[in-house]
Amino acid sequence: MKRLIYIIGVTLLLTACGQQQRAKSVVKDFMQTYQKGDVSYLDFSDVDSTRAISDSLIDVLQQQAGHNVTFQKRTTPTLLLIRAKYLLDDDTCSTTFYLDPSTMGVVAFKQN
């Protein structure tokens, strides 16, 4: 029984670490595609999930980003979120990215 609990715990830990790294990679790729200056990453929050983001709020956030930005379609009611803190040129910025968990694509983001 202890061995089964240990195996489940290790599996969950490895899955969470993989999800964290994949989310960072997706955000970095997204920012590289749409960056408007020299970006240096300072910190990333832990990946979390939310169901509090409505489709209408996603529409507003996507419109604020502009028409030149391509977003992933939302496929589930739950989204992952990760906050990135970075230097853009010489300014410290923070942005929250909302990711679709099944495709790990950026659905929306908001400047903090």
Side-chain angles (χ1 to χ4, degrees):
M1 183 67 174
K2 287 183 182 180
R3 186 175 183 177
L4 178 62
I5 292 172
Y6 176 75
I7 291 171
I8 291 171
V10 169
T11 303
L12 290 173
L13 179 65
L14 292 176
T15 302
C17 291
Q19 186 178 51
Q20 178 76 23
Q21 291 305 315
R22 187 157 179 226
K24 283 183 187 180
S25 177
V26 166
V27 167
K28 286 179 180 180
D29 290 345
F30 184 84
M31 288 183 67
Q32 184 177 5
T33 302
Y34 300 107
Q35 72 186 10
K36 297 175 182 162
D38 188 31
V39 175
S40 297
Y41 300 98
L42 300 175
D43 190 32
F44 285 92
S45 70
D46 290 338
V47 172
D48 201 357
S49 63
T50 183
R51 295 183 78 131
I53 306 299
S54 66
D55 289 337
S56 59
L57 180 56
I58 288 173
D59 290 340
V60 169
L61 293 174
Q62 289 177 347
Q63 289 173 3
Q64 287 176 351
H67 296 290
N68 297 333
V69 181
T70 304
F71 290 100
Q72 183 70 41
K73 296 276 186 202
R74 181 183 199 168
T75 61
T76 64
T78 302
L79 296 175
L80 299 179
L81 67 91
I82 186 169
R83 288 180 192 87
K85 187 175 178 183
Y86 54 95
L87 290 175
L88 180 60
D89 297 323
D90 290 327
D91 296 327
T92 302
C93 303
S94 178
T95 303
T96 302
F97 293 88
Y98 299 96
L99 310 174
D100 185 278
S102 62
T103 61
M104 287 299 275
V106 176
V107 174
F109 67 88
K110 74 172 183 175
Q111 300 287 87
N112 299 330

